[in-house]
Amino acid sequence: MKNNYSALNLIFIFLGSIVLLFIVAPLLGMLLNTSPAELIETTKDEEVQKSICLTLTTSFLSTIVFAIAAIPMAYLLARKDFPMKQLVLGIIDLPIVIPHSAAGIAILGFISRDSVIGRIAESVGLNFVGNPAGIAIAMAFVSIPFLLNAARDGFMGVPERLEKAALNLGASPTRVFFTISLPLAWRNIVSGLILMFARGMSEFGAVVIVAYHPMITPVLIYDRFGAFGLKYARPISVVFIIVCLVFFIILRMLAKEKKTQ
Amino acid sequence: MLKIKNISKQYKDFTLDNFSFSVNSGDYFILLGESGTGKSLLLEIIAGLITPDKGEVFLNNINITFKKIQKRNIGLVFQDYAVFPHLTVKNNIAYALKAKKLKKKTINKKTIEWAEKMNISHLLERQPKTLSGGELQRVALARTLALEPVCLLLDEPLSSLDIHLRKELRYLLRKINNEGITIVHVTHDFEEAIALANKIGIIHNGKIVQEGTPKEVFHNPKSKFVANLSGIKNFYNAKIKSDEIVMLENSIEFKHFSGRTHGSGFVMFHSKDVVVSKNQIDSSMSNNFQGVIVDMIPTKHGVEVIIDIGIIISALITQNSVDKFNLSKDSSVWVGIKALAIKFVENK
């Protein structure tokens, strides 16, 4: 135990505390600067309610829809070696490193009425720009790396021997995937889903370019700040952070419950 | 029944080179070789988990080299058992049955039946992580046997079990074999091979170097490697000079009594047949040499004394003798070996 209190450790603990404070202090400051009355009033604001609902549903749906393709892809990346695999892995991480406003511009070009996809969508009466579907696409673009990487880690942690044993026991590759690989990687996949959902929910840059309206909460916060200033943007920020935290905690707990079962 | 023909495979650090052997229906065939010789790789090729670079696998005269794994009906039990950690014992056993799309009732019945046979009925609702090695092994066996395979492949099934469990499991494996299931079992343990096999193949450097019944193989080892596997330490290249004299390693002459007058091959004798004394003794032993002790290794049966008499020989003596003659490294000693203890094996 003596080691724990060496000079180096004390310095590290001190530095760590500063980092922790750096994260907590602004959030706490904002919370303390907002009166309960303001918070209650904000939660009653219909525009706020609508935007929070919109944010949660678009992020949720975008996570679920893209997971259907992303999880099998993560499995491939974990199990197979193929030419240019490193390049593919690099591409997957791309959305994390590029500026999200630039990503928004790219997506807008991709789904606008002038693009092939936009035209196809329009022919069935759908316009992505300024539409929740467009918002979901922008959210997915910036958040899908989190799911892909987590799911890939999960599949890599499943011993190949177990899959081989299952094949030997007469199971088809499909059955092996659904009864062995997927359940054993599930914990990582769920944590990837949570991360993707949370990241999508908090996205501003890419979404604001694809769809200013209907307003998701991060855009609404920016809108109130631009129109009325800090004082009016603060309560809605606090409400949204609380909603995010509540969801984050609930999902974490659900994932943990699965783990202990 | 099972025939492996000229299989070659380069996989990670392992090489199989033109590997061939055949197993008859009902055989208990043991492939014996040191660790890292590609034995597990061979089993995975037979089971279809890996395709060979060259060669063919036949089951009942049908070429199954490229047949789907699920359709081969060959059961493989992995060295680390590979019991599915997220399923109960019951669901592990039922896994193969569910894949066959049997009726729920049949699955239940068969699961219980196999659990009873493997003596694990009391564990059915347990999670694998709460089981011991021996229990996991039984689960793995039950799960594979429930598939009713025509051939069972076992990868070092006893290696991670303690001695008591080994005995039990040997009995179980013999019982399974007696019920008519052909078994191919790979191991590095010579005792296991003697105790279980009715046919043995010795693997060395990615090839089968000798094949036959345990008796044939261990009474007539065709290489130093096989002799070492069977515990014979004294094994030398030899050339018979006359009906009395045999030359070992081109350097030292031994008296022999093999009844042969010429030929070349190997000479071997057991360490326990080597007599060690401080001074030259007058006895019926016709091979007497002076030498120097180069090493002394305690074993569970006594002390193995390594002596340089021009060639290196191994003698097994009791700790009492070591104390009595005050033997130690670099002591000068006499060794004696009866001509009758010298065994000559011709190498064709």
Side-chain angles (χ1 to χ4, degrees):
Chain A
M1 284 313 275
K2 205 179 156 196
N3 251 350
N4 287 348
Y5 295 98
S6 69
L8 185 71
N9 256 328
L10 285 176
I11 293 170
F12 282 9
I13 290 169
F14 174 71
L15 291 174
S17 312
I18 291 179
V19 173
L20 208 60
L21 199 66
F22 170 71
I23 298 173
V24 175
L27 295 176
L28 210 61
M30 182 166 71
L31 188 66
L32 294 176
N33 269 317
T34 315
S35 69
E38 276 176 317
L39 280 182
I40 290 164
E41 201 182 315
T42 308
T43 48
K44 282 181 183 158
D45 183 340
E46 213 170 286
E47 202 181 5
V48 172
Q49 286 174 0
K50 257 192 186 161
S51 88
I52 288 178
C53 272
L54 177 71
T55 314
L56 292 177
T57 41
T58 42
S59 183
F60 184 77
L61 288 176
S62 109
T63 303
I64 296 302
V65 169
F66 280 86
I68 292 168
I71 291 170
M73 180 184 181
Y75 181 74
L76 276 187
L77 290 169
R79 279 287 178 265
K80 308 282 181 211
D81 278 320
F82 48 84
M84 310 226 274
K85 184 173 172 179
Q86 286 309 314
L87 180 71
V88 174
L89 290 176
I91 290 173
I92 285 170
D93 284 337
L94 215 53
I96 298 177
V97 293
I98 59 173
H100 286 180
S101 49
I105 298 286
I107 296 165
L108 187 61
F110 185 63
I111 60 174
S112 72
R113 259 175 249 174
D114 307 327
S115 73
V116 180
I117 292 182
R119 255 177 276 157
I120 294 170
E122 199 168 29
S123 68
V124 293
L126 183 68
N127 181 12
F128 283 123
V129 184
N131 185 291
I135 296 173
I137 288 174
M139 284 175 167
F141 184 88
V142 296
S143 61
I144 206 159
F146 295 95
L147 173 61
L148 277 171
N149 288 329
R152 178 166 159 258
D153 283 348
F155 285 124
M156 274 166 68
V158 179
E160 228 176 322
R161 260 167 185 264
L162 296 178
E163 291 172 357
K164 284 183 171 181
L167 284 171
N168 181 253
L169 290 168
S172 65
T174 316
R175 195 173 136 76
V176 174
F177 178 77
F178 283 108
T179 59
I180 306 293
S181 325
L182 198 59
L184 287 173
W186 191 241
R187 207 186 302 164
N188 286 65
I189 293 174
V190 169
S191 102
L193 287 170
I194 293 171
L195 273 176
M196 182 175 173
F197 173 65
R199 187 66 200 78
M201 205 158 64
S202 51
E203 178 55 21
F204 168 73
V207 175
V208 77
I209 286 171
V210 174
Y212 199 91
H213 288 283
M215 271 190 214
I216 59 164
T217 317
V219 177
L220 183 67
I221 293 170
Y222 177 74
D223 185 68
R224 295 250 167 126
F225 176 65
F228 310 107
L230 186 61
K231 195 172 167 5
Y232 288 88
R234 207 182 267 143
I236 171 170
S237 300
V238 173
V239 169
F240 189 58
I241 287 173
I242 291 169
V243 170
C244 286
L245 278 179
V246 166
F247 262 86
F248 192 65
I249 291 165
I250 290 175
L251 289 172
R252 278 260 148 176
M253 271 162 50
L254 284 178
K256 215 170 189 176
E257 221 163 77
K258 183 100 193 164
K259 177 170 131 188
T260 48
Q261 256 175 21
Chain B
M1 181 223 191
L2 179 69
K3 200 168 164 190
I4 309 301
K5 214 172 150 190
N6 306 325
I7 291 280
S8 293
K9 178 80 188 176
Q10 181 78 45
Y11 185 75
K12 291 178 185 165
D13 289 339
F14 302 107
T15 313
L16 293 176
D17 181 18
N18 228 356
F19 216 94
S20 298
F21 66 88
S22 61
V23 181
N24 295 327
S25 187
D27 268 354
Y28 198 123
F29 187 82
I30 286 197
L31 282 162
L32 181 63
E34 285 168 335
S35 308
T37 45
K39 298 182 302 256
S40 308
L41 176 62
L42 184 72
L43 291 190
E44 294 199 7
I45 288 176
I46 299 173
L49 296 168
I50 294 172
T51 35
D53 296 338
K54 237 176 58 194
E56 287 153 327
V57 182
F58 291 90
L59 187 68
N60 293 327
N61 292 324
I62 297 164
N63 187 342
I64 58 161
T65 320
F66 299 104
K67 200 170 175 181
K68 275 189 178 171
I69 307 159
Q70 316 85 282
K71 307 254 186 261
R72 291 195 184 205
N73 211 10
I74 293 177
L76 170 61
V77 178
F78 288 90
Q79 185 173 1
D80 60 0
Y81 323 126
V83 170
F84 305 133
H86 60 304
L87 302 177
T88 59
V89 169
K90 191 174 168 184
N91 284 332
N92 261 283
I93 301 175
Y95 191 85
L97 303 168
K98 282 181 185 164
K100 273 187 169 176
K101 298 204 171 83
L102 297 177
K103 275 187 195 151
K104 227 178 180 175
K105 221 172 142 188
T106 323
I107 292 176
N108 249 324
K109 199 178 133 228
K110 287 201 172 200
T111 304
I112 292 167
E113 220 176 274
W114 279 105
E116 269 168 13
K117 269 194 186 173
M118 296 294 121
N119 218 354
I120 45 172
S121 309
H122 57 297
L123 304 173
L124 280 174
E125 300 303 329
R126 293 265 290 273
Q127 292 289 332
K129 63 173 179 244
T130 66
L131 303 182
S132 70
E135 289 166 339
L136 285 170
Q137 178 69 275
R138 282 161 190 275
V139 175
L141 273 170
R143 182 178 77 173
T144 307
L145 289 168
L147 196 71
E148 289 170 33
V150 288
C151 182
L152 183 63
L153 310 175
L154 305 172
D155 190 355
E156 301 261 7
L158 307 173
S159 63
S160 39
L161 303 180
D162 61 43
I163 293 174
H164 171 69
L165 281 171
R166 264 184 218 200
K167 267 191 191 159
E168 261 180 42
L169 207 77
R170 270 186 201 165
Y171 172 76
L172 187 66
L173 291 176
R174 234 179 269 130
K175 196 172 115 190
I176 293 167
N177 181 234
N178 285 339
E179 281 173 12
I181 295 177
T182 309
I183 296 182
V184 177
H185 169 153
V186 303
T187 178
H188 63 272
D189 186 341
F190 144 79
E191 264 187 55
E192 213 170 294
I194 301 228
L196 287 165
N198 71 333
K199 217 168 138 195
I200 290 178
I202 309 278
I203 312 184
H204 191 43
N205 288 336
K207 279 187 175 161
I208 289 206
V209 290
Q210 200 175 354
E211 204 181 327
T213 64
K215 205 171 157 189
E216 279 165 7
V217 171
F218 292 117
H219 283 215
N220 296 295
K222 293 281 167 65
S223 64
K224 189 175 177 112
F225 175 71
V226 179
N228 281 343
L229 273 180
S230 64
I232 295 176
K233 299 280 175 65
N234 299 306
F235 189 93
Y236 310 97
N237 289 313
K239 196 164 184 181
I240 293 186
K241 296 276 195 179
S242 69
D243 58 350
E244 277 198 339
I245 305 291
V246 57
M247 176 73 113
L248 270 57
E249 301 289 341
N250 273 330
S251 67
I252 191 163
E253 285 184 351
F254 268 56
K255 299 265 173 54
H256 72 103
F257 204 73
S258 67
R260 305 178 69 110
T261 56
H262 65 278
S264 60
F266 310 107
V267 150
M268 66 190 96
F269 48 90
H270 287 284
S271 302
K272 62 177 168 45
D273 288 336
V274 179
V275 175
V276 180
S277 59
K278 206 67 184 174
N279 303 303
Q280 187 168 17
I281 45 170
D282 203 14
S283 74
S284 66
M285 283 180 293
S286 41
N287 291 303
N288 293 288
F289 305 95
Q290 196 172 19
V292 176
I293 297 179
V294 290
D295 203 1
M296 293 174 68
I297 307 153
T299 70
K300 59 180 172 182
H301 305 296
V303 180
E304 189 190 350
V305 185
I306 311 292
I307 304 158
D308 186 354
I309 58 162
I311 55 174
I312 300 291
I313 67 167
S314 147
L316 190 62
I317 59 177
T318 60
Q319 185 63 47
N320 279 345
S321 307
V322 173
D323 298 341
K324 187 172 152 195
F325 296 119
N326 195 17
L327 299 178
S328 63
K329 211 178 151 194
D330 297 327
S331 303
S332 178
V333 289
W334 280 84
V335 296
I337 308 138
K338 283 170 95 170
L340 274 171
I342 307 283
K343 191 171 155 65
F344 176 79
V345 178
E346 188 164 30
N347 190 11
K348 281 164 198 158

